[in-house]
Amino acid sequence: MVANQEGVVETDAVPSVALPETHGKLIIIGGAEDKEGDCRILREFVRQAGGLQARIAVMTVATGLPGEVGAQYMGVFERLGVESVRVVDTDRREDASDPKALETIAQATGIFFTGGNQARITELLKDTELDTALHQRFAEGVVIAGTSAGAAMMPDMMIVEGESETNPRPETVKMDQGMGFLPGVVIDQHFAQRGRLGRLLSAVAQQPVVLGFGIDENTAIVVDGSEVEIIGESSVTIVDVSNLTHNNVEELLKDEPLALCGVKLHILPHGYRFDLDTRSCISG
């Protein structure tokens, strides 16, 4: 968001969240989701992907321990009754052209990105055959989920790294290209647990977007078109800077504090919904 010379933010053209004309659902998880108890979030992913008839592809690209992490999620999904669970491990960029991996994605009804390092996801998948296949399947209606790093990579511009428990400053956050499943927003994870409001505000203020989602652990947003539903144990923090009256982004050095006037803040727990078009809350 950029202010004019007087520091007043001009909002005639408010950026929108532009999903493909046809698309599946996104389940974006703040990390540390329950894998041993009721598994509410993973259970919802399985249900949305087809229930007992689901065909799940587990993407371990973000983690340095693909065997261990893949086996863990295979165990959870099989315990929930899914008979077809395959792990897609792309440890090298050339693996994103593997015919077996492409076949698994072509047959999947649900695709799940594990946690790890979101930079690995874009480094190894961006602009590959597998990237094209993933977006094609999403446009065809497949459910795509991601936790932690798998959540951070969902927008077109993602948070790569940044400081927690600090005030907003330009240097607080580093951004890079994401995978673009949910363009026009910024997403942060492990949100309340790691005190990341400052870095989310820093990211939103410096990008051509007006919405930022901070998703707590064991909590998720389910994106179905323009509607976002919150599920899970904790809350989702939504920052809306579409009506900023002032910011000082253009005049700052990188270590100086941001001023943001007119930020709207929503805190939504399980069962509440949010409309991306009107940027308004819908009570549970």
Side-chain angles (χ1 to χ4, degrees):
M1 298 296 291
V2 179
N4 62 23
Q5 291 181 345
E6 289 74 37
V8 177
V9 178
E10 299 173 343
T11 57
D12 290 342
V14 176
S16 62
V17 181
L19 286 166
E21 185 175 345
T22 59
H23 51 76
K25 293 182 180 180
L26 298 171
I27 300 180
I28 306 174
I29 309 165
E33 72 283 357
D34 175 22
K35 304 178 190 67
E36 299 177 355
D38 183 58
C39 302
R40 175 185 285 176
I41 295 171
L42 297 179
R43 188 179 298 272
E44 181 63 21
F45 167 64
V46 169
R47 184 176 290 111
Q48 295 287 352
L52 298 179
Q53 286 72 48
R55 298 185 299 277
I56 304 298
V58 179
M59 306 289 298
T60 57
V61 57
T63 179
L65 299 169
E68 178 181 330
V69 173
Q72 181 184 39
Y73 279 102
M74 281 188 71
V76 175
F77 293 137
E78 288 173 352
R79 179 164 59 85
L80 293 175
V82 180
E83 294 185 1
S84 177
V85 186
R86 297 183 182 179
V87 173
V88 177
D89 178 22
T90 48
D91 189 50
R92 304 167 302 165
R93 190 167 171 86
E94 49 264 39
D95 294 335
S97 300
D98 182 356
K100 289 184 179 179
L102 294 169
E103 180 185 5
T104 297
I105 296 304
Q107 295 177 353
T109 60
I111 299 166
F112 188 92
F113 282 82
T114 72
N117 180 354
Q118 53 265 41
R120 279 180 55 90
I121 301 176
T122 52
E123 177 185 346
L124 297 173
L125 293 188
K126 189 76 174 177
D127 299 323
T128 65
E129 289 184 70
L130 195 52
D131 182 15
T132 300
L134 287 163
H135 281 85
Q136 179 179 337
R137 297 296 287 130
F138 181 54
E140 293 169 353
V142 161
V143 179
I144 296 182
T147 183
S148 190
M153 63 86 183
M154 290 284 184
D156 44 357
M157 291 298 295
M158 69 178 182
I159 295 176
V160 177
E161 60 185 28
E163 296 179 44
S164 299
E165 299 181 341
T166 187
N167 65 306
R169 306 182 312 281
E171 67 175 356
T172 299
V173 64
K174 178 183 176 183
M175 307 289 294
D176 204 345
Q177 282 193 326
M179 293 295 287
F181 294 109
L182 185 62
V185 305
V186 173
I187 292 172
D188 210 347
Q189 9 75 36
H190 303 284
F191 193 70
Q193 290 75 16
R194 301 186 186 178
R196 287 178 165 174
L197 179 59
R199 82 175 198 173
L200 180 62
L201 287 167
S202 299
V204 173
Q206 297 177 81
Q207 296 297 317
V209 302
V210 296
L211 289 175
F213 290 84
I215 309 173
D216 292 351
E217 293 179 355
N218 198 24
T219 308
I221 59 174
V222 180
V223 184
D224 184 6
S226 64
E227 185 173 282
V228 175
E229 181 181 2
I230 288 78
I231 60 174
E233 179 181 56
S234 192
S235 299
V236 173
T237 299
I238 304 173
V239 295
D240 179 354
V241 297
S242 59
N243 292 314
L244 278 187
T245 56
H246 171 84
N247 75 41
N248 62 346
V249 172
E250 292 297 293
E251 61 195 54
L252 291 182
L253 302 180
K254 71 174 185 177
D255 62 347
E256 294 177 338
L258 281 166
L260 300 170
C261 302
V263 177
K264 186 181 288 187
L265 186 71
H266 307 283
I267 311 291
L268 302 182
H270 177 85
Y272 278 75
R273 291 171 290 155
F274 185 82
D275 190 304
L276 292 171
D277 289 337
T278 63
R279 300 185 303 284
S280 59
C281 300
I282 306 167
S283 61

